[in-house]
Amino acid sequence: MRWSAGWYGDSACDRLPAGGRAVPGLDAAWTLGWPSARIRTAGEGRAALAVIGECGADDRELANAPALVRAGKWRALTRWPGSYLTIARSGPTLAVIGDLTGQHPVYWRTDAAGTWWSTSACALAALDGAPVDPAALAAHLAFGQPDVLGERSLFRTVRRVPPGHLLLIGPEEVGTVPYEPASYGPVDLHRAGPAVRAALFEAVAARIDGRPVSADLAGLDSTTLACLAARSGPVTALTFADPRLRDDDLAYAARTAATVPGLRHQVVSGNPDTVYYQGLDDLAALPVTDAPNAYTVTAAIKRAVLDTVAARHTVPGIHLTGAGGDALLSAPSSYLADLLRTRRPRDAWRHALGHGRLRHTSAFTALRRAHPAARTSLPGAWRQIAADLRGPVRAWVPQAQRPVSWTPLLATADWMSPDARRHLADALIRAADELADPPTLLAPWADRQDLARVGANTGGWREIALAGYGIELSAPYLDNEVVRACLAVPADQRGAPGRYKPLLASAFAGTGVLPGFVLTRVTKGGFNALAYEGLRRHAGQLRDLLGPTSRLAALGLAAEAPVDAMLKRAAAGQPTAQGALHLVTSAEIWLRQLDTAHTPVWRKVNFRVAAA
């Protein structure tokens, strides 16, 4: 894994990350696995900073940045195009600033001598063998919202910095400080178009530097990025096509490639092995990540695409993916709860009618699902969930049929032991009591959680691409400025049922970047068929993985019987809790990899020998 780390204390640190490279101009800060071209520094003495990753700041902007550091204008250091970590020192104060979507997460822990920080929670846990925190892992499985337990990481004694916050360390104290507002002042969809267009232009341009470029060419989101990149040079545009999918991605991709100069279309044909859960018999071949990762389940499909890229390019390049586009350019119908909460009944009814038509149900059903969330707050929702966890296990029904919730309780919670559910309920009550500034609207909260989850999972795909192929995976939709431009548009405009992803049309209609037929597309491909096929083909392997020797079962987090019952539903072609099975599978693999895989290591520093 690529990661960065640092130390702040009165005495010199007694450990160094094995193989680490010192960051120029900053005391006790190191990077591992990052090429020197992706480590840029500015300033010296009492005001200095480093940016690590894909940062689009030009030399002049970076040279002027120490003035921002001296003024403590931390948010200004997050506004350059790209995706990067910032380390800034102003006198005795150190700020470590991640991004808004968890592409560059920040963790920390303290002891009597000072504070360690890192972009890898595993690395900080490795300092003394800190174990996995079962309650935090239970929250990861039961909720799928990274911020529910706040600063609690998946390891005991290791704390996380929530997205939109920075780690501020000084002589007297250390803690997290928000640099980003919880929600943005609303901008009308049509007024937001130019800002979204400019942010995406800059996000893609920040990656184009002479390396070969490839891109997914499938849905609206990835097609937009491929067309933007093609304005700067040739792009190998790849469409994964499998007759089992029965979507129209390939038809749109072929038509787009025939229309847009610079797109060199390549079809990646599916085969019997390009299904979910393929390759779980060899855990050593799966990406090692800092947390459970969804791409362990779909690695075979991603490798098929990357194999094609590698065959077309003589040297490793950069691959653009549309990850995050769904969360930014549309919105789930849960925003109906906000329309009810803010006393907009006519708007709520109009939107409910549209969503009802799309889902072949009634407007009354859509509003009935939204009403409970409209009448409670986030802390109130967590207290109700805690009460549910202490009660009997629910009969399974698809999540889309349950009432809208600030924090949906997933099927995985029903597979846990009574003790695990009770401990999770206790943690949730503490989180509700400690929530100092709860959000007032559901949609902005849910948007941030969706993006944080997508951002963390994209790290798994990045590891597959980098470790196996040397290819840099980039997700421009997850850049800070793209997130800000898109989320400034209220959810009821981004997710209005009358049009599909209208924000892209507002941004690109009439610009010549995208063909008109792309902007008017109303369909979206999906991988459900490959998920079910993978569950059917690999049910026995999953039973072994999640059976009597399961690490999750030993922690009380996934009992064998309900998992087996869900696998039988999948084998029979019945509706299945696919997301829950993905979660427990990736978590089980992660726990096993912690036992066997290469994890970050530290080496002791002998200062007496060094001094001699």
Side-chain angles (χ1 to χ4, degrees):
M1 295 185 297
R2 283 178 174 173
W3 52 288
S4 305
W7 163 258
Y8 184 107
D10 294 332
S11 59
C13 57
D14 61 352
R15 281 159 290 187
L16 299 174
R21 174 193 298 174
V23 177
L26 291 170
D27 297 329
W30 308 272
T31 63
L32 290 94
W34 282 103
S36 56
R38 302 290 171 262
I39 305 168
R40 302 171 63 195
T41 60
E44 58 184 4
R46 294 182 61 81
L49 82 156
V51 289
I52 300 167
E54 299 278 359
C55 180
D58 61 31
D59 292 342
R60 180 186 57 80
E61 289 172 321
L62 208 59
N64 292 335
L68 300 173
V69 174
R70 283 190 292 270
K73 294 183 177 180
W74 310 122
R75 188 171 188 259
L77 303 175
T78 71
R79 306 213 64 161
W80 297 308
S83 178
Y84 52 90
L85 173 79
T86 303
I87 313 165
R89 185 185 66 236
S90 178
T93 299
L94 183 73
V96 186
I97 313 169
D99 64 314
L100 295 178
T101 61
Q103 299 284 282
H104 300 272
V106 180
Y107 302 92
W108 57 291
R109 60 183 300 178
T110 59
D111 58 32
T115 298
W116 286 99
W117 64 264
S118 178
T119 57
S120 166
C122 286
L124 295 186
L127 284 167
D128 62 357
V132 169
D133 180 342
L137 184 56
H140 170 86
L141 293 171
F143 307 132
Q145 291 187 338
D147 287 344
V148 170
L149 296 190
E151 295 186 4
R152 197 164 174 172
S153 84
L154 293 180
F155 295 94
R156 290 176 180 167
T157 73
V158 177
R159 304 176 72 173
R160 66 184 284 270
V161 179
H165 292 64
L166 59 90
L167 178 64
L168 199 62
I169 314 174
E172 304 299 327
E173 59 183 347
V174 55
T176 63
V177 178
Y179 68 81
E180 193 74 5
S183 60
Y184 302 110
V187 178
D188 179 79
L189 177 78
H190 301 293
R191 288 183 51 233
V196 171
R197 182 172 65 249
L200 282 171
F201 261 115
E202 292 182 346
V204 171
R207 273 86 175 181
I208 307 297
D209 59 1
R211 292 174 288 177
V213 178
S214 59
D216 296 326
L217 187 65
L220 278 173
D221 312 336
S222 60
T223 298
T224 300
L225 300 181
C227 291
L228 283 170
R231 296 174 73 84
S232 299
V235 174
T236 301
L238 299 107
T239 306
F240 180 83
D242 190 303
R244 293 168 292 189
L245 296 179
R246 298 182 182 178
D247 60 29
D248 56 0
D249 278 356
L250 181 55
Y252 272 95
R255 189 178 174 190
T256 302
T259 305
V260 178
L263 291 182
R264 300 172 177 175
H265 194 210
Q266 183 76 36
V267 179
V268 182
S269 298
N271 62 62
D273 289 336
T274 49
V275 294
Y276 284 34
Y277 303 103
Q278 177 71 25
L280 300 190
D281 55 332
D282 183 9
L283 299 189
L286 294 171
V288 178
T289 53
D290 208 52
N293 194 277
Y295 285 105
T296 57
V297 171
T298 61
I301 298 170
K302 299 307 177 189
R303 286 198 176 100
V305 173
L306 294 168
D307 283 340
T308 306
V309 173
R312 291 291 299 268
H313 294 168
T314 56
V315 296
I318 183 166
H319 184 78
L320 301 173
T321 171
D326 284 339
L328 290 175
L329 301 170
S330 57
S333 60
S334 55
Y335 72 79
L336 291 173
D338 289 338
L339 296 179
L340 294 172
R341 179 188 298 275
T342 54
R343 299 181 180 180
R344 296 169 58 187
R346 291 184 179 179
D347 289 338
W349 175 251
R350 178 168 53 85
H351 283 254
L353 283 170
H355 285 291
R357 284 192 295 269
L358 284 175
R359 290 161 178 79
H360 306 292
T361 186
S362 71
F364 291 106
T365 298
L367 291 175
R368 186 167 61 248
R369 289 188 63 236
H371 264 293
R375 294 194 298 263
T376 190
S377 63
L378 181 59
W382 288 353
R383 293 187 178 97
Q384 179 57 55
I385 294 170
D388 293 342
L389 286 167
R390 293 191 174 104
V393 170
R394 309 167 298 175
W396 182 77
V397 297
Q399 198 70 39
Q401 295 178 17
R402 295 190 181 278
V404 168
S405 174
W406 284 82
T407 298
L409 187 62
L410 307 178
T412 37
D414 300 314
W415 303 347
M416 297 178 184
S417 70
D419 277 349
R421 287 165 62 92
R422 190 161 48 250
H423 288 311
L424 181 56
D426 293 342
L428 201 55
I429 290 293
R430 286 195 296 273
D433 292 342
E434 295 169 359
L435 198 60
D437 188 19
T440 57
L441 294 176
L442 185 155
W445 160 262
D447 287 338
R448 296 298 177 90
Q449 299 310 301
D450 287 347
L451 283 170
R453 184 176 64 251
V454 172
N457 281 331
T458 302
W461 190 355
R462 184 171 289 110
E463 288 298 328
I464 294 172
L466 191 61
Y469 304 86
I471 294 171
E472 297 276 359
L473 184 88
S474 286
Y477 285 105
L478 297 176
D479 285 9
N480 290 343
E481 287 298 275
V482 178
V483 170
R484 288 165 175 144
C486 292
L487 291 190
V489 179
D492 61 288
Q493 295 186 43
R494 286 182 285 121
R499 297 174 64 193
Y500 183 55
K501 297 187 177 177
L503 187 50
L504 277 184
S506 175
F508 290 103
T511 63
V513 175
L514 289 168
F517 61 83
V518 172
L519 292 173
T520 57
R521 184 180 176 183
V522 296
T523 56
K524 175 179 172 59
F527 286 80
N528 272 354
L530 301 187
Y532 273 98
E533 177 66 16
L535 286 169
R536 284 191 292 268
R537 287 186 57 186
H538 300 294
Q541 204 169 71
L542 290 171
R543 287 189 179 96
D544 291 341
L545 188 72
L546 299 167
T549 62
S550 164
R551 272 59 164 182
L552 288 176
L555 294 170
L557 299 182
E560 184 177 2
V563 172
D564 185 61
M566 195 58 66
L567 289 172
K568 288 178 179 176
R569 290 184 63 93
Q574 296 176 325
T576 305
Q578 289 186 35
L581 288 172
H582 297 348
L583 279 170
V584 295
T585 301
S586 59
E588 179 66 29
I589 290 169
W590 180 70
L591 287 173
R592 293 185 183 223
Q593 286 180 323
L594 288 181
D595 293 339
T596 60
H598 174 73
T599 55
V601 294
W602 301 78
R603 62 182 178 87
K604 283 278 189 179
V605 178
N606 189 327
F607 288 109
R608 292 184 179 179
V609 173

